[in-house]
Amino acid sequence: MEKFTVHSGSAVPLRYSNVDTDQIIPAVYLKRVARTGFEDGLFAAWRANDPEFVLNKPEFAGGSVLIAGTDFGTGSSREHAVWALQDYGFKAVLAPRFGDIFRGNALKGGLLAVVLPYEVIERLWEAVEADPATEVTVDLQEREVRAAGVVQPFELDDYTRWRLMEGLDDIALTLRHTDDIDAFEKRRHTWLPVTQ
Amino acid sequence: MARTMAEKVWEEHVVRRADGEPDLLYIDLHLVHEVTSPQAFEGLRLAGRRVRRPDLTIATEDHNVPTENILGPIADKVSRTQIETLRKNASDFGVRLFPMGDLDQGIVHVVGPQLGLTQPGMTVVCGDSHTSTHGAFGALAFGIGTSQVEHVLATQTLPMAPFKTMAVTVDGSLPPGVTAKDIILAVIAEIGTGGGQGHVIEYRGQAIRELSMEARMTICNMSIEAGARAGMIAPDETTFDYVKGRPHAPEGAEWDAAVEHWKSLRTDEGAVFDKEVVLDADRLSPFVTWGTNPGQGAPLDSAVPDPADFDDPAERAAAEKALAYMDLAAGTPLRDVRVDTVFLGSCTNGRIEDLRAAAEIIKGRKVADGVRMLVVPGSMRVKEQANAEGLGEVFTAAGAEWREAGCSMCLGMNPDQLQPGERSASTSNRNFEGRQGKGGRTHLVSPLVAAATAVRGTLSSPADL
């Protein structure tokens, strides 16, 4: 996984609340078995049907920070939603609240999902809409978002921050504790079911 | 200290706890399907890793599968490749798989419980958000992403961030014609699609205790629609009676020991929840959704709301957007909304009791002209049982299509889809834009409302017949 310390880039204001993962990437794109190439599925229905949709506006092309409304990424657990955002070029998503599974998937895969107060999101929307070239900096080192005069700290637990900054693979980290897993398996209840 | 059931089950599964790190939890059962697993198995291959516990892992084919002509090859090449990939992965890594045509095939969340693989006090995960279904047994059951699927395959554990607890208490008793589906739609409308965020919900109260196991699964299934990490119901005699005698249930002395332990899992007297919500079942009536998220619901007796009546600007904007997508005018009585399709099925309402309830309404009646009704059993075992009880004949005699098991029209990744602009009454769990097919419009309903709607052609309850 790519290390994440500080990212600066232009932003895309997505003024919708409750953007579920079916909107981020419709189910029809989930039939593939590869891990890359999901950018064409990102917000596919809105991109296809709504010329006013923010990603269809040339001034927001190339944005790498998505500024979204409350409850971004609710619904289906599809990690393809994270992959589609990353494949399209997004490095971070800022929102007042996320769906839990989406946020977990994002932070596993190196897409920084940052919770900011609604008022700050509103200020960022206004700044970015007034000037699409506004640079937004997401600083994981300092746990801070900076843009257009806004300097806003955000919370992220130390462990996740460390893992993202080091670009570490969770599985390799867990496999260091195989002895603990072996020991746990010896004390499981004997009635627990097996599938074979 | 008094503890909640969720906290007890969590504690029992901590493999490793260290300061400044998430707890490492052991996973008792890992359910796998074709959509969220291919990249996980590929990750194992690339890293030269094996599946640590194939004997705690089970796979089925559900999301992509067609629900008619299942013996031929899948026409959609991309879907076929995904199914074939699962078959190869299961074979290469030694995972037991129920393929199309197998009597144990079906929707992953129907298959686990019916085999007795889901039991109280277990940790259950699956790369599917509706894994919360299994919480109905008093299991701690989470939907996970593909990275976590790979993690569980490799280690049988997951590092998990701590959760908060929430009690949803449903007092009283449900009036006739009102179901578990109406309870959960009312709960989600009350707390919103983000109301449970970060929480494990425990459903409690007399109305919950009075529910059958299958009805409890309907409730827990939609916990994710309220944004919750999981939903749980305390195991009781209803739970034990359901599990007992199933193929993977404990037997003899093991059964007795298990039941004794399961009884100890109930939330202690005096345990404190981080959040509490109380509903009165006596005052509930059939509930339907009018918008494009499961929180946008209202009693069938009411009308499409006016966005102007929402105080919160974000909610107002969401309601405006939803009504435009749904092509509904504010103030329209919900009973006047005409549908093209009725879908009875899914991991929410595709079990035998759901089919029985709908069949009872539809028996001797006909599906309205111009309406298509799809009845899709949640598993092949459910289909077998339904046929033995004559339910299949009831549906076909009424003019409904009686299909094979699968996720079907719950999501647009198999041939069962709405056409653009078509409207459905659906017993599934999500009314998101395009969920049932590009441009499709979905109203979430109970099996009883689905059956009555099929007969009348407009959103209806059995009392309207």
Side-chain angles (χ1 to χ4, degrees):
Chain A
M1 189 167 83
E2 219 174 289
K3 294 180 182 181
F4 193 116
T5 46
V6 181
H7 173 77
S8 294
S10 59
V12 176
L14 182 67
R15 275 189 183 262
Y16 297 152
S17 59
N18 253 305
V19 174
D20 56 77
T21 54
D22 273 80
Q23 304 319 309
I24 300 174
I25 185 165
V28 68
Y29 293 91
L30 274 48
K31 297 180 184 180
R32 302 171 184 167
V33 296
R35 168 67 179 75
T36 54
F38 289 99
E39 63 276 8
D40 55 341
L42 182 70
F43 299 122
W46 292 341
R47 276 161 72 196
N49 301 327
D50 179 5
E52 291 302 305
F53 181 62
V54 67
L55 286 184
N56 288 333
K57 295 183 176 176
E59 62 269 34
F60 294 114
S64 56
V65 178
L66 185 68
I67 307 172
T70 307
D71 292 326
F72 184 82
T74 53
S76 159
S77 64
R78 57 189 71 171
E79 197 160 326
H80 310 66
V82 171
W83 301 337
L85 286 161
Q86 288 180 315
D87 290 347
Y88 194 84
F90 286 106
K91 303 289 183 195
V93 186
L94 319 178
R97 190 166 61 190
F98 289 94
D100 275 323
I101 303 177
F102 173 83
R103 185 156 189 260
N105 289 342
L107 295 174
K108 293 272 177 225
L111 176 73
L112 199 59
V114 175
V115 178
L116 295 179
Y118 186 81
E119 309 77 62
V120 175
I121 293 290
E122 186 86 50
R123 279 180 68 189
L124 293 174
W125 277 337
E126 284 164 12
V128 169
E129 282 164 356
D131 178 8
T134 303
E135 189 177 75
V136 177
T137 297
V138 183
D139 185 337
L140 183 57
Q141 176 82 44
E142 300 297 328
R143 279 181 270 216
E144 196 171 88
V145 171
R146 296 185 294 273
V150 173
V151 179
Q152 178 69 38
F154 63 82
E155 285 182 27
L156 188 71
D157 67 275
D158 292 342
Y159 181 82
T160 305
R161 173 174 168 270
W162 165 76
R163 201 172 44 70
L164 288 167
M165 289 183 64
E166 298 293 327
L168 291 172
D169 160 15
D170 249 351
I171 298 178
L173 289 174
T174 298
L175 287 173
R176 295 180 310 172
H177 306 303
T178 302
D179 288 353
D180 293 322
I181 303 173
D182 291 341
F184 184 92
E185 286 180 332
K186 292 198 175 72
R187 57 176 197 265
R188 293 177 74 229
H189 297 301
T190 50
W191 65 73
L192 284 163
V194 291
T195 57
Q196 305 189 337
Chain B
M1 206 182 103
R3 293 182 300 162
T4 65
M5 174 169 51
E7 288 160 342
K8 291 183 193 183
V9 178
W10 180 287
E11 280 302 319
E12 252 188 41
H13 288 83
V14 175
V15 170
R16 181 173 181 276
R17 176 168 286 165
D19 276 349
E21 293 183 32
D23 283 353
L24 189 64
L25 286 200
Y26 198 82
I27 303 304
D28 292 321
L29 178 65
H30 185 189
L31 304 158
V32 172
H33 63 85
E34 74 274 14
V35 181
T36 55
S37 65
Q39 296 86 354
F41 281 112
E42 191 56 22
L44 292 185
R45 262 192 206 97
L46 290 172
R49 289 168 180 150
R50 62 187 178 90
V51 174
R52 182 182 172 93
R53 295 295 301 265
D55 61 330
L56 302 184
T57 312
I58 194 109
T60 186
E61 300 169 356
D62 56 7
H63 285 62
N64 269 283
V65 301
T67 58
E68 51 188 349
N69 307 322
I70 58 164
L71 295 177
I74 299 180
D76 181 316
K77 270 192 202 151
V78 192
S79 286
R80 189 163 76 218
T81 302
Q82 198 167 59
I83 293 288
E84 285 166 356
T85 303
L86 178 65
R87 291 177 185 176
K88 176 167 174 24
N89 286 334
S91 155
D92 287 358
F93 288 92
V95 170
R96 188 170 171 205
L97 166 72
F98 302 127
M100 263 193 299
D102 192 299
L103 193 51
D104 280 313
Q105 178 267 342
I107 307 174
V108 66
H109 308 307
V110 177
V111 168
Q114 91 189 355
L115 285 170
L117 285 169
T118 305
Q119 297 173 17
M122 290 172 65
T123 45
V124 180
V125 299
C126 173
D128 188 286
S129 59
H130 293 110
T131 309
S132 57
T133 309
H134 307 265
F137 292 81
L140 192 52
F142 299 107
I144 58 177
T146 298
S147 297
Q148 291 170 303
V149 170
E150 184 180 341
H151 195 287
V152 177
L153 289 173
T155 71
Q156 204 58 35
T157 66
L158 267 186
M160 296 289 282
F163 63 90
K164 289 176 279 188
T165 55
M166 178 172 178
V168 170
T169 304
V170 189
D171 291 325
S173 292
L174 283 176
V178 185
T179 68
K181 184 66 165 283
D182 304 303
I183 294 181
I184 192 63
L185 286 174
V187 168
I188 301 164
E190 169 86 18
I191 68 175
T193 54
Q197 198 255 342
H199 292 75
V200 172
I201 297 177
E202 182 178 330
Y203 301 94
R204 306 153 64 87
Q206 185 185 334
I208 301 294
R209 285 194 299 275
E210 288 175 357
L211 293 176
S212 70
M213 238 9 259
E214 297 196 353
R216 293 178 188 185
M217 285 190 248
T218 300
I219 301 249
C220 288
N221 172 275
M222 289 189 72
S223 302
I224 180 69
E225 267 42 87
R229 302 250 311 259
M232 297 178 91
I233 293 172
D236 59 9
E237 292 304 323
T238 303
T239 322
F240 308 148
D241 289 348
Y242 183 93
V243 173
K244 192 165 189 172
R246 291 190 182 263
H248 292 271
E251 290 174 346
E254 292 270 84
W255 171 262
D256 296 337
V259 169
E260 194 175 322
H261 179 67
W262 295 343
K263 286 179 176 170
S264 76
L265 297 173
R266 291 172 198 161
T267 293
D268 295 329
E269 200 76 41
V272 178
F273 291 87
D274 297 305
K275 209 168 169 180
E276 294 205 50
V277 175
V278 180
L279 254 77
D280 185 355
D282 296 302
R283 299 173 61 170
L284 289 177
S285 61
F287 221 83
V288 300
T289 60
W290 49 265
T292 54
N293 74 56
Q296 292 175 323
L300 176 62
D301 293 334
S302 66
V304 176
D306 188 341
D309 294 340
F310 289 92
D311 294 332
D312 179 68
E315 271 187 50
R316 192 182 316 136
E320 279 167 5
K321 189 169 181 295
L323 292 193
Y325 181 85
M326 294 294 289
D327 191 28
L328 288 173
T332 308
L334 285 164
R335 277 200 168 77
D336 290 353
V337 175
R338 186 161 289 282
V339 305
D340 307 292
T341 295
V342 173
F343 171 56
L344 174 62
S346 84
C347 59
T348 312
N349 281 127
R351 298 182 174 80
I352 190 70
E353 289 179 11
D354 301 312
L355 302 187
R356 282 181 195 141
E360 196 177 319
I361 302 304
I362 225 157
K363 189 170 189 173
R365 296 188 164 105
K366 289 279 181 197
V367 174
D369 285 344
V371 174
R372 165 173 73 144
M373 182 182 195
L374 249 63
V375 183
V376 185
S379 70
M380 292 309 282
R381 294 271 180 201
V382 169
K383 175 150 191 171
E384 182 187 51
Q385 173 79 28
N387 279 337
E389 296 178 19
L391 307 184
E393 282 166 30
V394 170
F395 292 123
T396 43
E401 298 176 35
W402 175 229
R403 298 291 191 89
E404 312 291 338
C407 295
S408 185
M409 201 182 265
C410 178
L411 85 173
M413 65 185 307
N414 58 66
D416 303 339
Q417 301 197 19
L418 294 179
Q419 294 303 306
E422 271 191 333
R423 185 182 300 280
S424 77
S426 175
T427 65
S428 56
N429 40 57
R430 289 188 173 136
N431 51 344
F432 298 153
E433 290 182 25
R435 170 79 180 182
Q436 296 189 291
K438 203 183 281 182
R441 299 174 174 130
T442 304
H443 296 274
L444 300 179
V445 301
S446 73
L448 292 178
V449 169
T453 300
V455 172
R456 280 169 50 97
T458 52
L459 292 177
S460 306
S461 71
D464 299 322
L465 296 175

